[in-house]
Amino acid sequence: MTDVQLGMPQLPAPDYPAEVRARLEADAEEVIARYPDSRSALLPLLHLVQSEEGHVTRTGVRFCAEVLGLTTAEVTAVATFYTMYRRKPSGDYQVGVCTNTLCAVMGGDAIFEALQRHLGVGNGETTDDGKITLEHIECNAACDYAPVVMVNWEFFDNQTVDSAKQMVDDLQAGRTVEPTRGAPLCTFKETARILAGFPDARPGAVEASGSAGPASLVGLRLAKGEAAPGRVVSPRSADFPVNEQADEQAPTHPSSHDAPQRTSASDPHHPSGPVTEEGE
């Protein structure tokens, strides 16, 4: 009689190889020691197992459950809630295009549509070379730099269709790509390990940091009693303001576009939503 395969996952999930398990257990012990309640270590531990395979597999869920004394259902509930945890294999570089209101009208939708055509992938899909996973993001928390693209959570501000296409071309070709703010790029697995709370040993990476734009910092400066800066406008304006108290030009933030762009549905063929498939 022929065995019938119903496509059901192996239960329980397979374990890591012994040497990988031993290494992850040592890392997990270090993470858990940071918290008075071991359960609080679940989020960084999910980043840890994601740094091993590039996404949270059933094996990773089993590992987290075992070291924390939780059920796999409890771990899965958390892993499926946060979009930073991937449920399927993904690329070395997560390219997220903000398509929320301001970025969308400033060109985010146009950038996202152009990258889908240019890379030949839809939302949440990965290029054949395994380099890039493209996704649209609801907000990158950088509205004064709209439209914004993030690569492995590093900022690429004031993007245009052409600059975004050049950036992904460089990533696929293995050329150095520098964020407009923040630390130098590293792979998604390396990023996941840093998010798990382990030191970033790359020279200069810790010193590099992104900051909010001038428009975002106005309220903070006023609260500290500093002089209000000049009006933040595009240098395309003929009436370019000067901060008379400081005798210098006010901080400016040019948009990448001369006018808001036509909006459209971000990705009607691949709507964003929870992944329902098994992780593998």
Side-chain angles (χ1 to χ4, degrees), residues 26-240:
D27 288 340
E29 182 178 355
E30 180 180 338
V31 171
I32 294 170
R34 303 171 191 159
Y35 301 92
D37 184 346
S38 64
R39 185 188 182 100
S40 300
L42 178 54
L43 296 181
L45 285 186
L46 285 169
H47 284 299
L48 175 64
V49 297
Q50 186 161 251
S51 74
E52 186 65 32
E53 299 178 88
H55 66 293
V56 178
T57 64
R58 293 171 51 244
T59 297
V61 168
R62 171 185 170 179
F63 174 82
C64 291
E66 289 177 350
V67 298
L68 295 176
L70 302 173
T71 66
T72 54
E74 289 174 309
V75 176
T76 301
V78 174
T80 56
F81 182 83
Y82 295 102
T83 58
M84 290 180 72
Y85 301 122
R86 311 297 174 184
R87 298 300 311 284
K88 59 183 180 181
S90 55
D92 293 333
Y93 300 99
Q94 304 283 328
V95 176
V97 182
C98 183
T99 56
N100 212 336
T101 306
L102 184 58
C103 279
V105 299
M106 296 301 290
D109 275 333
I111 291 172
F112 186 68
E113 291 171 356
L115 289 183
Q116 287 184 98
R117 293 191 298 269
H118 187 65
L119 296 171
V121 296
N123 182 45
E125 295 180 351
T126 302
T127 54
D128 291 338
D129 60 6
K131 291 286 187 180
I132 294 174
T133 297
L134 178 67
E135 62 181 350
H136 69 79
I137 296 176
E138 286 303 314
C139 184
N140 278 330
C143 298
D144 47 344
Y145 288 109
V148 176
V149 176
M150 293 193 87
V151 180
N152 292 351
W153 315 118
E154 300 295 348
F155 287 102
F156 288 78
D157 302 317
N158 302 119
Q159 291 296 291
T160 65
V161 168
D162 288 341
S163 67
K165 288 166 66 175
Q166 182 62 55
M167 181 259 290
V168 296
D169 285 346
D170 289 342
L171 289 174
Q172 288 188 294
R175 293 187 285 267
T176 300
V177 175
E178 296 289 343
T180 53
R181 292 179 288 146
L185 283 183
C186 57
T187 66
F188 184 68
K189 289 182 179 180
E190 293 169 327
T191 300
R193 183 169 176 82
I194 294 169
L195 290 174
F198 292 94
D200 187 343
R202 296 175 299 155
V206 175
E207 291 75 16
S209 63
S211 63
S216 299
L217 297 176
V218 170
L220 177 61
R221 294 182 61 182
L222 290 174
K224 290 182 175 181
E226 300 178 17
R231 208 162 36 92
V232 179
V233 299
S234 167
R236 284 184 285 271
S237 170
D239 182 23
F240 194 68

Side-chain angles (χ1 to χ4, degrees), residues 123 136 266-274:
N123 182 45
H136 69 79
S266 295
D267 192 1
H269 300 297
H270 298 84
S272 178

Side-chain angles (χ1 to χ4, degrees), residues 252-271:
T252 62
H253 167 54
S255 165
S256 298
H257 299 272
D258 289 328
Q261 304 298 300
R262 176 186 63 81
T263 61
S264 64
S266 295
D267 192 1
H269 300 297
H270 298 84

